[in-house]
């Protein structure tokens, strides 16, 4: 997917369709920011195996 490099996309959910969309857009080069009220969901989605640069943080 062209045009996504250096783009930042913010998601307010880390499950279901949002998780699948994040993976798709991330594979296309977008930088993904994810937040969820369930911290474990956000961390699991933000840090899939093989992506050491992904991080999750609670504020």
């Amino acid at each position: 997917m062209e045009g996504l490099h250096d783009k930042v996309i913010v998601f307010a959910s880390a499950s279901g369709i949002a998780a699948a969309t994040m993976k798709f857009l991330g594979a296309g080069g977008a930088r993904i920011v994810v937040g969820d009220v369930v911290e474990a969901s956000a961390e699991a989605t933000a840090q899939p195996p093989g992506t050491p640069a992904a991080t999750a943080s609670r504020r």
Side-chain angles (χ1 to χ4, degrees), residues 4-54:
L4 290 179
H5 292 283
D6 298 323
K7 302 293 184 200
V8 177
I9 302 171
V10 179
F11 286 84
S13 174
S15 61
I17 292 174
T21 304
M22 283 184 261
K23 291 176 186 177
F24 176 75
L25 295 174
R31 301 183 84 186
I32 306 297
V33 176
V34 59
D36 198 304
V37 295
V38 180
E39 185 176 1
S41 293
E43 288 180 353
T45 303
Q47 299 178 338
T51 56

